[in-house]
Amino acid sequence: MRMANGLSVALLMLPLLASAEEIGEVSTVFKLLGPNDKIVVEAFDDPEVEGVTCYLSRAKTGGVKGGLGLAEDRAEASIACRQVGPVRFKSELEDGAEVFRERTSLVFKTMQVVRFFDERRNTLVYLVYSDRVIEGSPQNAVTAIPILPWPQRP
């Protein structure tokens, strides 16, 4: 029981991370056994900033290993974030805060999205990159959203 309580407290202390909704996918390589290699497009809302949605495209490895979740996905990803409503910060933003994370191999590799706030330009900046326990990848993509007034609907 003590272990369960400790685990509950530890989970509550983790930062809130967004979960992605799959928007679509395209096959890139046919695999005779298991799912095809594909590019997946996902969307997630920033958990700390209302009115911002990010769209992420990334490669997913198929085949038998990919179907079983044992394959390592490539490090390349693309991101486009957009203002989709009035922007409201739920709390004070921390530069470099992780807003999204997804495992891209069984154990050692993750893809993550971090957020920065360029206060001088009133712009949110999102960076996607992949890292590995031993060796990361310099491949990355960035997108920026100038925070603009949102028109009120009549």
Side-chain angles (χ1 to χ4, degrees), residues 86-105:
V87 171
R88 186 176 74 78
F89 300 141
K90 296 180 182 177
S91 61
E92 189 171 327
L93 299 183
E94 177 185 331
D95 271 348
E98 187 176 271
V99 296
F100 180 80
R101 171 187 286 263
E102 188 157 323
R103 178 181 62 81
T104 53
S105 75

Side-chain angles (χ1 to χ4, degrees), residues 110-121:
T110 60
M111 180 193 59
Q112 50 216 328
V113 176
V114 294
R115 175 196 343 97
F116 299 92
F117 180 51
D118 180 352
E119 194 169 355
R120 181 172 158 216
R121 294 167 188 85

Side-chain angles (χ1 to χ4, degrees), residues 73-90:
D73 294 334
R74 297 182 58 115
E76 297 92 355
S78 178
I79 188 167
C81 296
R82 298 294 182 261
Q83 181 176 350
V84 295
V87 171
R88 186 176 74 78
F89 300 141
K90 296 180 182 177

Side-chain angles (χ1 to χ4, degrees), residues 14 24 35 38 57 63-64 69 90 97 99 107 131:
L14 288 174
K38 56 190 165 187
S57 69
V64 175
K90 296 180 182 177
V99 296
V107 178
D131 67 0

Side-chain angles (χ1 to χ4, degrees), residues 9-42:
V9 169
L11 289 174
L12 289 174
M13 294 175 66
L14 288 174
L16 290 175
L17 294 179
S19 60
E21 167 191 350
E22 188 171 311
I23 301 298
E25 65 182 47
V26 294
S27 291
T28 58
V29 175
F30 172 76
K31 297 288 185 174
L32 189 56
L33 298 174
N36 291 343
D37 288 357
K38 56 190 165 187
I39 297 172
V40 177
V41 177
E42 301 169 313

